[in-house]
Structures are given as structure tokens and as C-alpha cells.
Amino acid sequence: MKRLLYLLFAFSILSCSKKEEIISPDSIYNVSSVWEKQDGSKISFIDLKGKVIVTTMIFTSCKTACPRLTAEMKKIAKEVGKVDPDNIEYLLISIDPKTDTPEVMKAYLKTHQLDEKEWMFIRSNENDTREIANIMAVKYKEISPIEFSHSNIISVYSKKGTLAYQKEGLDNNIQSTAKEIKKQLEL
């Protein structure tokens, strides 16, 4: 009789526990690399689980496309409006991890008036950077020690880490991107 009670108790506990959510095979949360943030702390993409992620790949010494991409991201954030930082992450990913140290990334955020509660700048090693660039369909090539040629893509990932939307080019047409972010926030 005691065994039966223990067995029933165990089943009741298991049935009440929260079921583990399965991560889709095409989720960015499957990327296991570790990244360094602007404050020097470490993060993996799984740490962003449950947030809408809006991202682009840039490098801080860029004088042409990257400041424009950052400005577009900033306009998109303004169009979306104030959102609980637990629900969204605006993410800049460095394609020049040698130059873009935590101090440099932090200064970049400050220069562009990007609040660290809502914005994150990360870097990793060359292999991890190439892997995430391939996943995000961003092409880049070093053309000199401080210059890169690269795709100009802004991506929106759902709370489940799957690609929901991509915008390519520097056209300042932010409405469709902001609309998709708002849609993803509601899901």
C-alpha cells in the first residue's frame, strides 16, 4: 500500500511539473557558442530565450554602412516604442572581434546613445562569428586590417529563436520591420 501511495505521489508531481519546451531545429538557440558582451560578461543565444531578438552584424571602425545600420535599428526601436526589456533584445554582433573589445563596444553604444538595458553588443572568435553570419545569411570579407565588406541585413527572431523577418539594404524603410517586431511581441 505504501508503494502505491509513493507511486501515486510521484506521478502527481511529474504531472504538475512544467513540460520542457522543445527548441525548433532552426532556432538560433541551438547555437552553442559563447559570446562576450560590452560589459565583459559572457552570454549564449539560449540566454535570450523568450525574447524577440532584433539583430544586425557590424564593426565599430566602419565609417559607412555600420553607422547607418545602427541608425536604422535605433529608428526601428523608436517606431516599436517602449517595450519591457525582458521581451526584446536589440543585438549588435561584431564582425571584427579583434578590434571590437568590450570597452570599444561599450563606447560605441554610448556614442550612439543606445541604452544597455535594451541594447547588447557582442563578439566572439572568428569561427563563431562566421557560424552566426552563415545562419543569418550575412556575408562579410576583410578587405584590410580595419575594413570589411559586408551584407546590410537586419533580422528579427521570434521568441522561439526562429527567423521571422529579414530586411536587406540601407533604405530607411523601417515600418515593415517594426510591424513584424510588434507582431512577434504579441505572440
Side-chain angles (χ1 to χ4, degrees):
M1 184 66 169
K2 267 187 175 178
R3 280 189 179 170
L4 182 59
L5 287 174
Y6 285 127
L7 193 57
L8 288 172
F9 179 72
F11 281 129
S12 68
I13 289 175
L14 289 174
S15 66
C16 292
S17 66
K18 188 177 179 181
K19 292 185 178 169
E20 186 68 25
E21 194 174 321
I22 297 172
I23 296 175
S24 172
D26 60 344
S27 174
I28 198 168
Y29 302 142
N30 290 313
V31 176
S32 62
S33 51
V34 176
W35 295 74
E36 186 173 33
K37 294 169 47 176
Q38 72 269 6
D39 64 5
S41 65
K42 305 293 185 195
I43 191 166
S44 295
F45 283 94
I46 192 71
D47 297 325
L48 302 174
K49 187 175 179 185
K51 291 186 176 193
V52 173
I53 305 168
V54 185
T55 188
T56 195
M57 296 187 77
I58 65 168
F59 62 106
T60 60
S61 58
C62 177
K63 302 295 182 223
T64 54
C66 298
R68 289 181 61 194
L69 277 168
T70 303
E72 279 193 38
M73 291 267 292
K74 195 172 175 181
K75 287 178 187 174
I76 289 166
K78 186 176 181 182
E79 179 77 16
V80 169
K82 252 329 187 194
V83 177
D84 183 342
D86 289 338
N87 294 325
I88 194 164
E89 191 68 54
Y90 293 99
L91 183 64
L92 304 175
I93 302 172
S94 174
I95 59 174
D96 185 11
K98 291 177 201 157
T99 303
D100 295 340
T101 64
E103 298 80 19
V104 171
M105 295 186 300
K106 190 173 192 72
Y108 187 90
L109 291 176
K110 186 176 181 179
T111 298
H112 291 275
Q113 300 172 346
L114 303 172
D115 184 352
E116 289 188 52
K117 292 177 187 151
E118 299 172 4
W119 292 78
M120 186 186 310
F121 202 155
I122 61 174
R123 73 172 187 163
S124 191
N125 60 48
E126 181 65 27
N127 289 337
D128 293 343
T129 304
R130 287 273 173 211
E131 178 187 28
I132 203 68
N134 285 330
I135 290 168
M136 295 180 170
V138 172
K139 293 180 172 53
Y140 72 94
K141 179 180 179 181
E142 186 173 4
I143 54 177
S144 78
I146 59 165
E147 192 65 36
F148 291 82
S149 171
H150 61 90
S151 306
N152 299 312
I153 296 176
I154 295 174
S155 302
V156 178
Y157 287 86
S158 72
K159 292 177 184 179
K160 294 183 179 200
T162 56
L163 182 64
Y165 181 84
Q166 273 192 323
K167 174 193 161 317
E168 188 169 2
L170 296 167
D171 60 10
N172 283 322
N173 180 8
I174 62 165
Q175 286 73 28
S176 56
T177 308
K179 182 178 176 183
E180 183 61 36
I181 293 167
K182 289 176 185 178
K183 175 182 162 190
Q184 292 302 318
L185 287 166
E186 291 175 7
L187 297 176

